């Protein structure tokens, strides 16, 4: 059970100290948005490179960008330890996943709330994690979509059938009141932005989320 706080809800003027505040987490989730795949713009490779130099935890880069086939491998080459691209934006997801892995990172694909998982089941052979979005990508602080839980179960089932070690991540609206249903459905990596950085103590929030998720360890 791993916690990946999203720095989208952190203070962008103080990212180094914001990363240090979540040193007890497993990952730092970095939301890369290009204003095309989603209607919001955040950061790109130069900032990821700077974060890598100071982060106490590995970086979990979530690319909400067009043409990940072209851009995703660069994040792995820069040193990001996990790189997730959206299947809705990828032209050749197999080649993209392979390029990410060849550069030494864990590879993952993400599905938006309106995207079915079934057509992508064969892609499990190429990745280390699947991200099931529990909000429409683009912004932090949105309401959790409980109607995505059947998809989390479906992914967990497919992973179980295949065997091997593929993680199932949820992202969007994950908080102390929603994390248990995610864990129960089969998620094992939990992204949380406002539920960590919106609290007085990010470390306490990470500990609480972890404790709630652990109750449903599979
Ligand atoms: C949304 C991002 C999320 C976001 C989650 O597009 O992918 O990672 O930061 O924020 P919360 O946890 O506040 O919903
Ligand atoms: Zn994200």
């Amino acid at each position: 059970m791993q916690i990946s706080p999203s720095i989208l809800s952190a203070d962008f003027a103080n990212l180094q100290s914001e990363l240090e505040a979540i040193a007890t987490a497993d990952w730092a989730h970095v939301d890369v948005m290009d204003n095309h795949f989603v209607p919001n713009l955040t950061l790109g490779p130069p900032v990821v490179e700077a974060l890598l130099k100071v982060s106490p935890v590995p970086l979990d880069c979530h690319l909400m960008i067009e043409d990940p086939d072209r851009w995703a491998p660069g994040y792995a080459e820069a040193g990001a330890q996990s790189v997730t691209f959206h299947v809705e934006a990828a032209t050749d997801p197999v080649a993209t996943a392979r390029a990410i892995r060849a550069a030494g990172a864990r590879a993952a694909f993400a599905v938006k709330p309106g995207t079915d998982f079934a057509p992508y089941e064969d892609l499990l052979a190429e990745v280390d994690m699947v991200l099931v979005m529990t909000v429409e990508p683009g912004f932090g602080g949105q309401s959790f979509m409980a109607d995505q839980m059947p998809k989390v179960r479906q992914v967990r089932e497919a992973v179980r059938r295949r065997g091997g070690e593929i993680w199932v991540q949820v992202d969007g609206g994950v908080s102390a009141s929603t994390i248990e249903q995610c864990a129960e459905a089969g998620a094992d990596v939990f992204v949380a932005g406002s539920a960590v950085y919106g609290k007085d103590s990010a470390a306490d929030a990470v500990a609480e989320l972890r404790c709630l998720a652990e109750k449903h360890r599979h």
Side-chain angles (χ1 to χ4, degrees):
M1 294 300 193
Q2 304 186 69
I3 308 296
S4 186
S6 168
I7 62 165
L8 187 62
S9 299
D11 176 1
F12 268 35
N14 293 291
L15 288 174
Q16 180 167 1
S17 58
E18 294 285 65
L19 286 169
E20 284 159 2
I22 54 145
T24 54
D26 301 279
W27 298 85
H29 183 84
V30 179
D31 288 302
V32 175
M33 304 185 189
D34 68 351
N35 230 352
H36 292 274
F37 183 71
V38 289
N40 195 5
L41 183 65
T42 54
L43 51 88
V47 177
V48 169
E49 281 168 32
L51 296 175
L52 281 164
K53 288 186 192 139
V54 299
S55 181
V57 292
L59 299 189
D60 162 30
C61 288
H62 174 197
L63 308 183
M64 285 159 277
I65 61 171
E66 294 291 357
D67 204 2
D69 309 69
R70 178 172 176 193
W71 301 111
Y75 288 84
E77 284 154 20
Q81 292 87 347
S82 178
V83 178
T84 302
F85 62 89
H86 271 268
V87 285
E88 302 88 355
T91 306
D92 189 345
V94 171
T96 300
R98 287 182 183 173
I100 291 167
R101 282 175 150 181
R106 298 176 62 89
F109 69 85
V111 283
K112 298 204 284 186
T115 303
D116 285 340
F117 165 70
Y120 302 102
E121 185 167 338
D122 287 350
L123 209 48
L124 289 179
E126 310 289 341
V127 296
D128 304 289
M129 183 172 80
V130 177
L131 166 53
V132 176
M133 290 301 301
T134 43
V135 296
E136 211 50 67
F139 301 91
Q142 303 182 80
S143 302
F144 177 76
M145 295 170 70
D147 62 354
Q148 297 302 300
M149 294 303 98
K151 197 193 291 180
V152 172
R153 283 177 207 284
Q154 193 188 355
V155 176
R156 174 53 68 193
E157 262 315 301
V159 165
R160 216 169 257 147
R161 277 199 304 275
R162 277 198 92 253
E165 270 272 317
I166 299 174
W167 300 345
V168 182
Q169 184 179 61
V170 283
D171 178 10
V174 176
S175 69
S177 48
T178 58
I179 193 168
E180 289 194 57
Q181 56 185 292
C182 297
E184 206 266 318
D188 54 5
V189 187
F190 307 87
V191 177
S194 40
V196 170
Y197 284 109
K199 295 283 156 63
D200 288 337
S201 163
D204 287 355
V206 168
E208 185 191 12
L209 291 172
R210 192 191 295 288
C211 181
L212 292 169
E214 289 289 350
K215 285 162 63 180
H216 304 271
R217 175 183 281 288
H218 352 283

